[in-house]
Coordinates of all heavy atoms in Angstrom, one line a residue:
I74 N 8.6 8.8 -4.0 CA 7.5 8.9 -5.0 C 7.3 10.4 -5.2 O 6.2 10.7 -5.7 CB 6.3 8.1 -4.6 CG1 5.9 8.5 -3.1 CG2 6.5 6.6 -4.7 CD1 4.4 8.0 -2.7
Q78 N 7.5 11.9 0.0 CA 6.8 10.7 0.4 C 7.5 9.5 -0.2 O 8.3 9.6 -1.1 CB 5.3 10.7 -0.1 CG 4.6 11.9 0.5 CD 4.7 12.2 2.0 OE1 4.8 11.3 2.8 NE2 4.7 13.5 2.3
T79 N 7.2 8.3 0.3 CA 7.8 7.1 -0.1 C 6.8 6.0 -0.3 O 5.8 6.0 0.3 CB 8.8 6.6 0.9 OG1 8.3 6.5 2.2 CG2 10.0 7.5 1.0
I80 N 7.2 5.1 -1.2 CA 6.4 3.8 -1.3 C 7.1 2.8 -0.4 O 8.4 2.7 -0.4 CB 6.4 3.3 -2.8 CG1 5.7 1.9 -3.0 CG2 7.8 3.2 -3.5 CD1 5.5 1.5 -4.4
S81 N 6.4 2.1 0.4 CA 7.0 1.2 1.5 C 7.8 0.1 0.9 O 7.5 -0.2 -0.3 CB 5.9 0.6 2.4 OG 5.2 1.7 2.9
E103 N -7.6 2.3 3.9 CA -6.2 2.6 4.0 C -6.0 4.1 4.2 O -6.6 4.8 3.5 CB -5.4 2.2 2.7 CG -3.9 2.4 2.8 CD -3.2 2.5 1.5 OE1 -3.8 2.7 0.4 OE2 -1.9 2.4 1.5
I104 N -5.1 4.5 5.1 CA -4.7 5.8 5.3 C -3.4 6.1 4.7 O -2.4 5.3 5.1 CB -4.8 6.3 6.7 CG1 -6.2 5.8 7.4 CG2 -4.6 7.8 6.9 CD1 -7.4 6.4 6.7
G105 N -3.2 7.0 3.7 CA -1.9 7.2 3.1 C -1.7 6.4 1.8 O -1.0 5.5 1.7
T106 N -2.6 6.9 0.7 CA -2.6 6.2 -0.5 C -1.2 6.2 -1.2 O -0.8 5.2 -1.7 CB -3.5 6.9 -1.5 OG1 -4.8 7.2 -0.8 CG2 -3.8 6.0 -2.7
G107 N -0.5 7.3 -1.1 CA 0.8 7.4 -1.7 C 0.8 7.1 -3.2 O 0.1 7.7 -4.0
S108 N 1.6 6.1 -3.5 CA 1.7 5.7 -4.9 C 0.5 4.9 -5.3 O 0.2 4.7 -6.5 CB 2.8 4.7 -5.1 OG 2.7 3.6 -4.5
G109 N -0.3 4.3 -4.4 CA -1.5 3.4 -4.7 C -1.1 2.1 -4.6 O -1.9 1.1 -4.9
Y110 N 0.2 1.7 -4.5 CA 0.5 0.3 -4.4 C -0.1 -0.6 -3.4 O -0.6 -1.7 -3.7 CB 2.1 0.2 -4.4 CG 2.6 -1.2 -4.4 CD1 2.6 -2.0 -5.5 CD2 3.3 -1.8 -3.3 CE1 3.2 -3.3 -5.6 CE2 3.9 -3.0 -3.3 CZ 3.7 -3.8 -4.4 OH 4.2 -5.0 -4.4
Q111 N 0.0 -0.1 -2.1 CA -0.6 -0.9 -1.0 C -2.1 -1.1 -1.3 O -2.7 -2.2 -1.1 CB -0.4 -0.2 0.3 CG -1.1 -0.9 1.6 CD -0.6 -2.1 2.0 OE1 0.4 -2.1 2.7 NE2 -1.3 -3.1 1.8
I125 N -7.3 7.0 1.5 CA -7.4 8.5 1.7 C -5.9 9.0 1.7 O -4.9 8.4 2.3 CB -7.9 8.9 3.1 CG1 -9.3 8.2 3.2 CG2 -8.0 10.5 3.3 CD1 -9.9 8.6 4.5
E126 N -5.6 10.1 0.8 CA -4.4 10.6 0.7 C -4.6 12.1 0.9 O -5.4 12.8 0.4 CB -3.9 10.4 -0.7 CG -2.6 11.2 -1.1 CD -1.4 10.9 -0.1 OE1 -1.0 9.8 0.1 OE2 -0.9 12.0 0.3
I127 N -3.6 12.8 1.6 CA -3.6 14.1 2.0 C -3.0 15.1 0.9 O -3.4 16.2 0.9 CB -3.1 14.3 3.4 CG1 -3.6 15.7 4.0 CG2 -1.6 14.4 3.4 CD1 -3.5 15.8 5.5
V128 N -2.1 14.5 0.2 CA -1.3 15.3 -0.8 C -2.2 15.2 -2.1 O -2.2 14.1 -2.7 CB 0.2 14.9 -1.0 CG1 0.9 15.6 -2.2 CG2 0.9 15.0 0.2
L131 N -0.5 13.4 -5.3 CA -0.4 12.0 -5.2 C -1.7 11.2 -5.3 O -1.9 10.3 -5.9 CB 0.2 11.6 -3.8 CG 1.7 12.0 -3.7 CD1 2.3 11.7 -2.2 CD2 2.6 11.3 -4.7
S151 N -8.0 13.8 1.3 CA -8.5 14.5 2.7 C -7.5 14.1 3.7 O -6.5 13.4 3.5 CB -9.9 13.7 2.9 OG -10.4 14.2 4.1
D152 N -7.8 14.5 4.9 CA -7.0 14.1 6.2 C -7.5 12.8 6.6 O -8.6 12.8 7.2 CB -7.0 15.3 7.1 CG -6.2 14.8 8.3 OD1 -5.6 13.8 8.5 OD2 -6.1 15.8 9.3
G153 N -6.7 11.8 6.6 CA -7.2 10.5 6.9 C -7.4 10.2 8.4 O -7.9 9.2 8.8
Y154 N -6.9 11.2 9.2 CA -7.1 11.1 10.6 C -8.6 10.8 11.0 O -8.8 10.1 12.0 CB -6.6 12.3 11.3 CG -6.7 12.4 12.8 CD1 -5.5 12.0 13.6 CD2 -7.8 12.8 13.6 CE1 -5.6 12.0 14.9 CE2 -7.8 12.8 14.8 CZ -6.7 12.3 15.7 OH -6.8 12.3 17.0
T169 N -0.6 3.8 6.7 CA 0.8 3.7 6.1 C 1.6 5.0 6.4 O 2.5 5.3 5.5 CB 0.8 3.2 4.7 OG1 0.1 4.3 3.9 CG2 0.0 2.0 4.5
A170 N 1.2 5.8 7.4 CA 2.0 6.9 7.8 C 2.0 6.9 9.2 O 1.1 6.6 9.9 CB 1.3 8.2 7.2
V223 N 6.9 7.8 6.9 CA 6.7 9.2 6.9 C 5.6 9.6 7.8 O 4.8 8.8 8.1 CB 6.5 9.7 5.4 CG1 7.7 9.4 4.4 CG2 5.3 9.1 4.9
P224 N 5.6 10.9 8.3 CA 4.5 11.2 9.3 C 3.2 11.3 8.7 O 3.0 11.7 7.6 CB 5.1 12.5 9.8 CG 6.1 13.1 8.9 CD 6.6 11.9 8.1
L225 N 2.2 11.0 9.6 CA 0.8 11.3 9.3 C 0.7 12.7 9.6 O 0.7 13.2 10.7 CB -0.1 10.5 10.2 CG -1.6 10.6 9.9 CD1 -2.0 9.7 8.9 CD2 -2.3 10.3 11.2
T226 N 0.5 13.6 8.4 CA 0.4 15.1 8.6 C -1.0 15.4 8.9 O -2.0 14.6 8.5 CB 1.0 15.7 7.4 OG1 0.4 15.2 6.3 CG2 2.5 15.6 7.4
R227 N -1.2 16.6 9.5 CA -2.6 17.0 9.7 C -3.0 18.2 9.0 O -2.1 19.2 8.8 CB -2.7 17.3 11.3 CG -2.5 16.1 12.1 CD -3.4 14.9 11.9 NE -4.8 15.3 11.7 CZ -5.5 15.6 12.8 NH1 -5.1 15.6 14.0 NH2 -6.9 16.0 12.6
Ligands
SAH307 N1 0.7 3.3 1.1 C1 1.7 4.0 0.2 C2 2.8 4.6 0.9 C3 2.5 5.6 1.9 S1 3.6 6.9 2.3 C4 2.2 3.3 -1.0 O1 1.7 2.1 -1.2 O2 2.8 3.9 -1.8 C5 2.6 7.7 3.3 C6 1.6 8.5 2.6 O3 0.6 9.0 3.5 C7 2.1 9.7 1.9 O4 1.6 9.7 0.6 C8 1.5 10.9 2.6 O5 1.2 12.1 1.8 C9 0.3 10.3 3.2 N2 -0.3 11.0 4.5 C10 0.3 11.6 5.4 N3 -0.5 12.1 6.2 C11 -1.8 11.8 5.9 C12 -3.1 12.0 6.4 N4 -3.3 12.8 7.5 N5 -4.1 11.6 5.7 C13 -3.9 10.8 4.6 N6 -2.8 10.6 4.0 C14 -1.7 11.1 4.7

Side-chain angles (χ1 to χ4, degrees):
I74 54 169
Q78 308 304 327
T79 53
I80 175 172
S81 307
E103 182 201 19
I104 309 301
T106 316
S108 67
Y110 178 66
Q111 171 78 73
I125 307 178
E126 171 56 53
I127 202 164
V128 177
L131 289 175
S151 180
D152 180 354
Y154 183 92
T169 63
V223 294
L225 183 82
T226 51
R227 302 298 318 283

